[in-house]
Amino acid sequence: MQKFRADLHIHTVLSPCADLEMAPRKIVEQAREAGLHIIGITDHNSTLNAKVIRDLARERGILALTGAEVTTKEEVHCLAFFENDEALDQFQQYLEQNITRIPNPDGHFGYQPVVDENENVLELVPYYLTSALKKGISSVQKYVYELGGIFIPAHVNRPLNGLYSHLGFVPTDLEFDAMGITGKTSEKHVRKHYDIDDKISLIYNSDAHFLEQIGTRYSVFNIHELTFLEVKKALNQRYKRFVEIV
């Protein structure tokens, strides 16, 4: 078993709230400097910058999970990751079909560029990406699992867009691989405050919107190798794989 540092909540320049310096190559280089082995690309309701970062990260020996940070109908933020391009593309279509389309003329809510590895702008998404989907959290989760993905309610300890702050409870039909936490709070405090069982993995993420934030919060995955399947096993505490917060 090996230990790998992971930050599974990183935004790119595509997210309207992210800094314009969050370009693919810069993200990968910053992750490398921060000593990360696994990163998660999680733009708001879009996967369109994920593939280019995955390919650049692979060249540096970093596993980049491709996905998005979804805003559900309840305005709860959740992370979704997919193992292959087919599933990722299907989820992108799902997002485009179900997002509430609020126009974003001239980057009124922030610029949302899809870029290549050299920071060339390929397109600008014309609608506000942080808008809520028309699908509830359980519906989104079920579709993610249909595609063989990973589903993680994000920053559950945060007052804004967290599972507990928005719903006050965990729906009985909701399945997930882990829960994300952020900030300077301790795992012990979060588990006690929200009565979260030890059987549920908690992971620290930075929720980085600026380069210097990448890797400032991270988790350690105890797995055999850098693969999507190994990450999923660790999140679910299977086959002696596990995640720890240090």
Side-chain angles (χ1 to χ4, degrees):
M1 204 79 74
Q2 302 180 67
K3 293 181 180 291
F4 297 100
R5 287 189 180 192
D7 182 354
L8 300 186
H9 195 157
I10 298 173
H11 292 268
T12 83
V13 66
L14 177 57
S15 291
C17 46
D19 189 72
L20 292 178
E21 290 296 305
M22 294 294 277
R25 197 177 297 278
K26 291 177 181 176
I27 288 172
V28 172
E29 290 305 317
Q30 186 68 27
R32 183 169 173 267
E33 289 183 15
L36 297 175
H37 308 97
I38 309 169
I39 58 176
I41 305 306
T42 55
D43 282 312
H44 289 291
N45 294 321
S46 181
T47 70
L48 293 178
N49 274 349
K51 293 178 185 177
V52 63
I53 295 178
R54 176 199 60 199
D55 294 342
L56 290 170
R58 186 181 293 138
E59 295 174 3
R60 290 294 193 174
I62 296 172
L63 172 66
L65 301 185
T66 52
E69 180 176 19
V70 182
T71 305
T72 71
K73 185 177 181 179
E74 305 90 347
E75 297 194 358
V76 174
H77 286 183
C78 301
L79 309 181
F81 299 108
F82 302 92
E83 185 174 13
N84 56 60
D85 286 355
E86 181 180 0
L88 190 69
D89 292 344
Q90 288 185 54
F91 194 67
Q92 178 62 31
Q93 292 178 17
Y94 176 84
L95 293 171
E96 292 175 359
Q97 291 167 359
N98 290 290
I99 193 170
T100 303
R101 297 207 173 206
I102 298 174
N104 186 34
D106 301 318
H108 177 76
F109 296 108
Y111 288 103
Q112 301 174 152
V114 179
V115 298
D116 65 15
E117 62 183 49
N118 296 314
E119 300 185 37
N120 296 308
V121 177
L122 305 179
E123 65 174 291
L124 291 173
V125 177
Y127 52 89
Y128 184 46
L129 285 173
T130 311
S131 300
L133 298 192
K134 299 172 185 176
K135 299 287 187 179
I137 186 171
S138 295
S139 179
V140 174
Q141 174 264 304
K142 287 179 173 61
Y143 189 66
V144 171
Y145 276 15
E146 283 179 23
L147 297 176
I150 289 171
F151 185 82
I152 302 171
H155 43 65
V156 299
N157 60 311
R158 204 176 76 175
L160 184 64
N161 303 115
L163 176 65
Y164 291 105
S165 64
H166 273 56
L167 296 185
F169 64 97
V170 179
T172 56
D173 64 338
L174 184 68
E175 298 182 58
F176 47 86
D177 296 276
M179 288 183 173
I181 60 176
T182 191
K184 296 182 179 180
T185 187
S186 70
E187 176 184 4
K188 182 179 180 180
H189 171 77
V190 173
R191 289 193 184 279
K192 181 178 180 181
H193 185 73
Y194 296 107
D195 192 25
I196 301 174
D197 192 275
D198 287 342
K199 294 179 181 179
I200 296 174
S201 294
L202 295 181
I203 58 171
Y204 250 140
N205 297 311
S206 69
D207 192 2
H209 289 70
F210 297 85
L211 287 174
E212 61 269 22
Q213 294 174 335
I214 294 174
T216 54
R217 291 287 181 271
Y218 65 90
S219 303
V220 176
F221 279 69
N222 292 263
I223 53 180
H224 283 301
E225 56 184 344
L226 288 173
T227 66
F228 182 93
L229 183 58
E230 284 283 296
V231 168
K232 190 173 179 68
K233 287 178 181 177
L235 291 171
N236 288 279
Q237 303 178 28
R238 293 177 181 168
Y239 307 106
K240 297 183 179 180
R241 280 77 162 171
F242 63 96
V243 187
E244 57 185 326
I245 293 175
V246 295

